[in-house]
């Protein structure tokens, strides 16, 4: 079976792309693993206001790995779409790989399971395939996503995320999450979990900002050495939302090196950036707010970058972080102060 055929079976596509394989540490994680080996994959993330329009289309053209989170406030819409696509016979539940995330206001161990149960209720699912700790930084519990004091500063909470991890392990044992992972952790924070006495399950993944301008090569090597999957968000740079993104950073998809490589392969710069991650063994998220782009993204399995292409793209690394999260820079668990 070709890469394209496999890619169309699943957003996280089971596609063998000729890269090195990593064994995994949990019975069933992402569909490209299926309890065997990690290979490379593509995943879709759709915002709340666009979920009902674009998620059904994405599933129809072959995407199966859907990334959502309590903080994105898109779980109800994603749940509606999944149920409707199951009802009309497009997919079965086991075909869909649904990821959701534990938000910062629920990192206290006693809040973890209730948060997951709320997400499951919103998603109309009995379990998620992957549940991720969104950040290592705890915030004051409550309904507000970003609780702030009278001066507009975030109100931090003091929680050892290793205790949060233990609560996640219990959720996995209860069958509420097939696999558990983390997001936005640096290597030292990962080591704290990996070296934790009594560790039952290693994180199956670490979802971080990763693109040619921030290629995370050291973190990728660290994760591979511990059989942790690196999942890339902002794989195409960013959508340059003013509230989140440094507007002074260059636009990734306008880079002349990417443009030259895309012209050589007769593909878009976006496809080249996605293919770059896949050939590195990275799972890459692609935002799905345009039907043309959603369909086009499946072409990532139709071509292969040469070693020279890969080296040229490696050379673009500038350690540019589009999502700097300045609000949390004074948090004791702020993850981006470390080199990787």
């Amino acid at each position: 079976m070709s890469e394209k055929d496999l890619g169309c079976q699943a957003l996280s596509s089971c596609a063998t792309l000729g890269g090195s394989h990593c064994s995994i540490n949990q019975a069933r994680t992402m569909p490209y693993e299926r309890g065997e080996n990690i290979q490379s994959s593509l995943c879709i993330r759709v915002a709340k206001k666009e979920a009902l329009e674009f998620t059904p289309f994405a599933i129809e053209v072959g995407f199966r790995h859907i990334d959502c989170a309590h903080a994105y406030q898109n779980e109800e819409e994603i749940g509606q779409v999944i149920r409707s696509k199951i009802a009309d016979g497009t997919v079965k539940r086991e075909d869909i790989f649904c990821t959701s995330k534990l938000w910062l206001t629920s990192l206290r161990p006693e809040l973890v399971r209730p948060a997951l149960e709320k997400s499951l209720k919103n998603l109309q699912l009995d379990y998620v395939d992957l549940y991720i700790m969104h950040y290592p930084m705890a915030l004051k519990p409550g309904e507000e996503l970003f609780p702030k004091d009278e001066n507009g500063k975030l109100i931090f909470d003091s929680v050892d995320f290793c205790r949060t991890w233990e609560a996640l392990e219990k959720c996995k044992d209860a069958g509420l999450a097939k696999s558990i992972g983390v997001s936005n952790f640096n290597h030292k924070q990962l080591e704290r979990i990996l070296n934790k006495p009594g560790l039952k399950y290693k994180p199956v993944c670490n979802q971080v900002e990763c693109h040619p301008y921030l290629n995370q090569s050291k973190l990728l090597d660290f994760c591979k050495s511990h059989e942790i999957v690196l999942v890339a968000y902002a794989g195409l740079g960013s959508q340059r939302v003013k509230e989140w993104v440094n507007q002074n950073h260059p636009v990734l998809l306008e880079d002349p090196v990417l443009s030259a490589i895309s012209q050589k392969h007769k593909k878009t710069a976006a496809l080249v950036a996605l293919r770059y991650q896949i050939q590195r063994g990275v799972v890459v998220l692609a935002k799905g707010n345009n039907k043309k782009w959603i369909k086009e993204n499946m072409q990532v399995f139709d071509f292969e970058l040469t070693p020279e292409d890969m080296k040229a793209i490696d050379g673009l690394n500038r350690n540019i972080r589009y999502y700097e999260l300045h609000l949390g820079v004074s948090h004791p668990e702020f993850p981006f102060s470390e080199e990787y």
Side-chain angles (χ1 to χ4, degrees), residues 100-161:
S100 196
K101 303 181 186 70
L102 177 72
W103 187 238
L104 289 65
T105 52
S106 298
L107 295 197
R108 293 183 183 181
E110 67 273 17
L111 299 179
V112 173
R113 180 163 178 162
L116 175 52
E117 289 175 337
K118 182 177 180 180
S119 288
L120 291 173
K121 182 179 179 181
N122 289 338
L123 287 162
Q124 302 178 59
L125 298 176
D126 296 325
Y127 66 89
V128 288
D129 298 275
L130 175 63
Y131 198 49
I132 292 174
M133 199 186 317
H134 211 144
Y135 281 89
M137 307 180 299
L139 298 181
K140 176 187 174 184
E143 293 302 313
E144 293 181 63
L145 290 177
F146 295 97
K148 297 176 183 176
D149 63 20
E150 62 275 11
N151 298 313
K153 292 186 177 182
L154 285 180
I155 303 174
F156 300 151
D157 197 18
S158 179
V159 180
D160 180 351
F161 59 69

Side-chain angles (χ1 to χ4, degrees), residues 42-317:
L42 190 65
C43 171
I44 194 165
R45 176 186 291 175
V46 185
K48 175 184 173 71
K49 64 181 180 181
E50 299 154 342
L52 292 176
E53 178 180 359
F54 295 112
T55 312
F57 179 77
I59 291 173
E60 287 160 12
V61 300
F63 283 80
R64 296 292 181 268
H65 184 177
I66 301 171
D67 185 82
C68 54
H70 171 70
Y72 306 156
Q73 300 183 335
N74 63 353
E75 291 174 326
E76 288 188 22
E77 290 77 9
I78 294 297
Q80 288 178 44
V81 171
I82 291 174
R83 300 319 305 180
S84 69
K85 291 287 108 181
I86 291 173
D88 70 15
T90 302
V91 292
K92 298 176 182 178
R93 169 63 186 96
E94 57 267 29
D95 297 328
I96 294 292
F97 189 90
C98 184
T99 297
S100 196
K101 303 181 186 70
L102 177 72
W103 187 238
L104 289 65
T105 52
S106 298
L107 295 197
R108 293 183 183 181
E110 67 273 17
L111 299 179
V112 173
R113 180 163 178 162
L116 175 52
E117 289 175 337
K118 182 177 180 180
S119 288
L120 291 173
K121 182 179 179 181
N122 289 338
L123 287 162
Q124 302 178 59
L125 298 176
D126 296 325
Y127 66 89
V128 288
D129 298 275
L130 175 63
Y131 198 49
I132 292 174
M133 199 186 317
H134 211 144
Y135 281 89
M137 307 180 299
L139 298 181
K140 176 187 174 184
E143 293 302 313
E144 293 181 63
L145 290 177
F146 295 97
K148 297 176 183 176
D149 63 20
E150 62 275 11
N151 298 313
K153 292 186 177 182
L154 285 180
I155 303 174
F156 300 151
D157 197 18
S158 179
V159 180
D160 180 351
F161 59 69
C162 286
R163 305 288 81 78
T164 308
W165 185 255
E166 291 169 357
L168 287 170
E169 291 179 322
K170 291 177 181 177
C171 289
K172 174 174 163 55
D173 283 338
L176 302 179
K178 297 293 184 182
S179 294
I180 50 178
V182 298
S183 180
N184 296 300
F185 273 52
N186 60 47
H187 82 286
K188 289 185 177 179
Q189 291 167 329
L190 284 171
E191 283 180 332
R192 280 165 56 188
I193 291 180
L194 294 172
N195 297 330
K196 184 186 78 65
L199 179 69
K200 191 168 186 179
Y201 305 112
K202 292 194 298 185
V204 72
C205 71
N206 186 21
Q207 186 179 121
V208 297
E209 179 177 345
C210 183
H211 44 75
Y213 284 171
L214 181 70
N215 68 23
Q216 300 277 20
S217 59
K218 290 185 178 180
L219 185 60
L220 176 59
D221 288 344
F222 177 87
C223 287
K224 284 182 175 180
S225 72
H226 292 279
E227 299 180 337
I228 296 171
V229 182
L230 190 78
V231 181
Y233 68 78
L236 303 180
S238 77
Q239 295 187 324
R240 308 187 78 77
V241 179
K242 289 183 179 179
E243 293 83 355
W244 291 98
V245 175
N246 188 327
Q247 300 295 301
N248 295 320
H249 288 332
V251 178
L252 174 67
L253 296 183
E254 295 176 0
D255 188 274
V257 172
L258 286 182
S259 297
I261 293 172
S262 68
Q263 290 172 18
K264 181 175 76 171
H265 290 279
K266 296 181 172 57
K267 301 292 182 182
T268 63
L271 279 171
V272 169
L274 293 175
R275 182 70 198 191
Y276 168 70
Q277 299 289 17
I278 286 172
Q279 288 186 211
R280 302 169 79 213
V282 172
V283 178
V284 60
L285 303 178
K287 286 196 174 180
N289 58 357
N290 180 298
K291 288 184 177 181
K292 178 177 178 289
W293 294 344
I294 290 171
K295 195 169 183 179
E296 180 184 89
N297 285 342
M298 296 306 290
Q299 296 175 23
V300 75
F301 302 103
D302 294 349
F303 73 108
E304 187 168 349
L305 298 174
T306 67
E308 292 76 21
D309 294 334
M310 294 294 290
K311 185 176 181 180
I313 300 173
D314 281 339
L316 296 179
N317 185 54

